[in-house]
Amino acid sequence: MNRKVILCVDDEKIVLESLRSELEEHFSDDYDLEFAESGGEALEVIADLVATQDQLALIITDYLMPGLKGDEILATIFQQHPESKQIMLTGQANLEGITNAINNAKLYRYISKPWEKSDLLLTITEAVKSYEQEMQIKEHHVVLEETVRRRTRELEQTLMDLKSSQEQLVAAEKMAVLGGLVAGIAHEINTPVGVGVTAASHLENQLQDIVRQYRNAQLSREEYEQFLDNAVEGIQIILRNLEAAANLVSSFKLVAVDQSSEALREFKFNEYLKAILLSLQPEIKQTRIKITVDCPESLMINSYPGDFSQIFTNLIMNSILHGFNNGRDPGTITISVMPQDNGTITIDYADTGKGIPPDIIPQIFDPFFTTNRQSGRSGLGMHIVYNIVTHRLKGSVVCKDRPPQGAHFLITVPSNIQM
Ligand SMILES: Nc1ncnc2c1ncn2[C@@H]1O[C@H](COP(=O)(O)OP(=O)(O)OP(=O)(O)O)[C@@H](O)[C@H]1O
Ligand SMILES: [Mg+2]
């Protein structure tokens, strides 16, 4: 901290001396004392203080002096040191000088000569105390302003960081959705291709048998006709699944762009459902699972048929895989479709498998949630079902909690998506 100074100005040496002895006794510990015999000299002292960046705490000045008068000195000093305290001493009570000092400067007290020593000391003590307090307040003010400025800067920075994190999150989310989409498409293609391969290899085996029997002249007419029936069914399965895979591939670009993989159309729900189940026959055949469907024959809906294919494929594959121990356990899958009065249809899907533990029900629609990662599952099936039902078909899907009776899903979708 720089020096704190008390400056005394009087053209009478004797007055200065008496001020010196009184001030030295009481204030020299905390303040440097400066003395000037004229206004000019006082201003020189002040100029030095400015140069050395010292503080003028208090000026005590005589009023009547040759050259600059007390009120003029005070007015000049006030310009440069508005915070300094000012006391004027004078023998000749001069109202004009005091008025000037009050109006143009910042006169703290007026003391008449000769002064009462105790009165003078008390006045000076009060003046410097008041000066110290004001300086302290000023200092706090500066600190406060700096703190506010710093906090404002920090808040602005935080806001900018938040904005950029938000942008990154949005970008990451978009990438994740796209990534999920790619994985989802791959997943979806896997099923029809798998079904197609199974059907084709089954047909190949049958064909080899038939060829062998034919070459050995062991082929009966019934066997040949049976083979033809099987071949027609097998080829239909292969074709339907290859078409499904081709549609998925060609629609991937569309799906990625606007989620419209297949045209909206009116179709007979029951018929389409049967077609889906037929395409899953190769998978279902190898299990001991019975599927029963309860759907009004005439039910027509206006929606995206391909989406229902994805929904049922996922649900049924999940039942086989998770509910019935990869198809080894026997059981039933029941699909009940009911048109409602409010223009929706409800699809009640239930299996009698091992069921979904209540504690994982809240997570099964989350992307990548699977209890079978060790068998290479990706945990996207139910997420895809959820997205299709809620986003594309504008409906809802819930997993009902009903242990230990197997899994149960309730899907509600509008029967005319354009309404
Ligand atoms: N019918 C069901 N019976 C028992 N558990 C099921 C059934 N359907 C789904 N689950 C549970 O929900 C989880 C999430 O299913 P989801 O279809 O999303 O993933 P996944 O089948 O494990 O993997 P992916 O479908 O990607 O191959 C499954 O891992 C399984 O624990
Ligand atoms: Mg699945």
Side-chain angles (χ1 to χ4, degrees), residues 187 314-315 318-319 321-323 349 351 354-356 360 364 366 369-372 377-383 407 409:
H187 171 95
N314 271 300
L315 290 177
N318 274 353
S319 291
L321 205 80
H322 308 294
Y349 178 98
D351 69 35
K354 76 172 198 297
I356 306 174
I360 69 163
I364 61 161
D366 290 350
F369 175 80
T370 175
T371 50
N372 284 56
R377 313 311 306 185
S378 55
L380 281 165
M382 290 313 296
H383 180 64
F409 295 94

